[in-house]
Amino acid sequence: LEGRLGDRLTESALAISAGEYDRGRALLGDEYGSLFEQYSPVAQDLDEEELASRFNLTRAQQRSVVDSIEELNATRAEYEQAVEAGDEERRRELARELLEGAEELNQTASELDQQYTALGNATAIDVAEAQSAIEESQVQVTDAAAFIAQREFTATQLQVDTNRTAISTGSPAAVTGQLTAANGTPVANAPVQFQLGADTITTTTDQNGTFRTVYRPLLAATTATNLSVSYTPSGSAPYLPTRQTVPLTISAQANSSVTLTNTTTTAAFSQPVRAVGTVQVADAPGTQLAGIPLVLRVDGRRLATATTNETGAFDIAGALPASVPAGETTLT
């Protein structure tokens, strides 16, 4: 049974390499499923459930690979049509889709190759032919995408500086920098995103490609390190994305408090329970408190979750469950 499953995997890989995508999928279809249904209980009797799972995962990943390759080839054909039609905006959008799709294909194909290696190590199946066929198909598609990307887009680079590396809510980091093309030309009016843990903020470059922002930790864990600064161009922009990291550590936690201005005082089963108020964070401006998570509980039971707005205000509500007993209890 292992041999027959391996044969179908290899035949499918060879069909994919030959551009016979429907046949490649069909070889992993109902008959493969029938063989696997026979194989799975035998593997279980031999304490080889993990190996059976690997056969199933290899099938799923190979299906994903053939779908990606076929889709990328279709996108490339559409790109060539846009080139012939002189549609520059659509041409760049399709070129970016090709680039992103090729990156996803590389990841899936790499995972599939690892599955094949594991199968080869655990069985008598010769997986080399299948691995070679999948790699050949992958390289053809990704090389074509890379060539198109090189023709359509200009590489970019980020220069980033901070005024401190140890920060806290009361001592935020001033982050400055510049986004330029590879030849040094400034990239103006471009979005630049900053991320540390769960914190994400975005700013825009000026006409000189420069940017400045203040990063104040609010949601990031104290274990988070390295502020990620990235530029992700729009679909029709003539640039490639870029990313830079700078070392940052959160040196201290800030004290916080909750002020309730209105709460439900009486409720019955399925009726709404509501709490309105604000969150205050020591040393943080009142206009930079968006996204702080809150949980509404009654009698210790979770009713709802919400996040604060930019000023730290919140309005959270949930239905009272039947499990809360009658009588006085606590809302938190």
Side-chain angles (χ1 to χ4, degrees):
L1 286 169
E2 285 176 355
R4 292 168 69 186
L5 288 168
D7 287 345
R8 296 190 76 82
L9 286 168
T10 298
E11 290 176 29
S12 170
L14 292 172
I16 294 169
S17 180
E20 300 172 359
Y21 305 125
D22 289 340
R23 182 169 177 268
R25 272 188 288 263
L27 284 161
L28 303 177
D30 293 341
E31 189 168 340
Y32 186 101
S34 178
L35 286 169
F36 183 77
E37 287 177 3
Q38 297 174 58
Y39 172 72
S40 184
V42 178
Q44 187 173 359
D45 288 343
L46 298 172
D47 294 327
E48 294 286 1
E49 293 93 338
E50 184 178 345
L51 185 56
S53 175
R54 200 173 294 282
F55 270 108
N56 207 27
L57 184 57
T58 303
R59 174 199 195 188
Q61 288 179 330
Q62 190 148 309
R63 281 174 162 176
S64 180
V65 164
V66 65
D67 289 344
S68 296
I69 290 174
E70 188 173 30
E71 184 177 344
L72 284 167
N73 282 332
T75 303
R76 185 172 62 178
E78 190 177 350
Y79 165 80
E80 298 296 347
Q81 292 173 1
V83 171
E84 292 179 7
D87 188 342
E88 182 175 323
E89 182 174 348
R90 182 59 178 157
R91 190 182 78 197
R92 284 180 179 159
E93 289 176 351
L94 291 166
R96 201 171 301 282
E97 286 181 24
L98 279 171
L99 192 61
E100 293 170 355
E103 291 176 358
E104 293 175 3
L105 173 61
N106 284 336
Q107 177 65 31
T108 306
S110 175
E111 293 170 356
L112 176 59
D113 186 71
Q114 292 172 16
Q115 293 299 332
Y116 268 121
T117 298
L119 282 177
N121 291 336
T123 68
I125 299 171
D126 184 358
V127 300
E129 191 174 17
Q131 287 177 302
S132 178
I134 292 295
E135 182 181 6
E136 182 181 347
S137 303
Q138 171 201 357
V139 168
Q140 287 178 351
V141 173
T142 55
D143 280 358
F147 175 78
I148 290 172
Q150 188 176 17
R151 183 168 66 183
E152 291 291 339
F153 302 118
T154 300
T156 56
Q157 55 191 11
L158 275 166
Q159 176 265 318
V160 184
D161 294 303
T162 60
N163 65 333
R164 55 172 56 94
T165 57
I167 62 172
S168 66
T169 304
S171 299
V175 186
T176 58
Q178 186 178 33
L179 174 66
T180 61
N183 61 5
T185 303
V187 180
N189 302 316
V192 178
Q193 185 181 78
F194 308 84
Q195 184 172 11
L196 180 70
D199 282 328
T200 301
I201 58 176
T202 302
T203 189
T204 303
T205 61
D206 61 19
Q207 293 302 311
N208 297 316
T210 59
F211 56 85
R212 178 182 176 85
T213 192
V214 174
Y215 168 61
R216 186 185 309 275
L218 285 176
L219 306 178
T222 54
T223 55
T225 58
N226 294 330
L227 178 70
S228 172
V229 185
S230 60
Y231 163 59
T232 303
S234 63
S236 59
Y239 299 110
L240 289 172
T242 188
R243 181 184 299 273
Q244 185 67 268
T245 59
V246 291
L248 278 185
T249 57
I250 301 175
S251 58
Q253 291 178 308
N255 292 323
S256 62
S257 60
V258 176
T259 299
L260 295 173
T261 57
N262 186 20
T263 63
T264 299
T265 57
T266 303
F269 164 59
S270 80
Q271 290 183 352
V273 175
R274 183 183 177 202
V276 180
T278 57
V279 173
Q280 298 85 35
V281 177
D283 299 321
T287 57
Q288 295 183 19
L289 298 176
I292 297 175
L294 299 113
V295 177
L296 173 65
R297 289 186 174 90
V298 170
D299 197 41
R301 293 161 173 81
R302 179 186 292 233
L303 270 61
T305 60
T307 57
T308 58
N309 65 15
E310 290 183 352
T311 63
F314 62 87
D315 188 337
I316 185 171
L320 189 72
S323 57
V324 176
E328 287 195 5
T329 188
T330 303
L331 176 151
T332 57

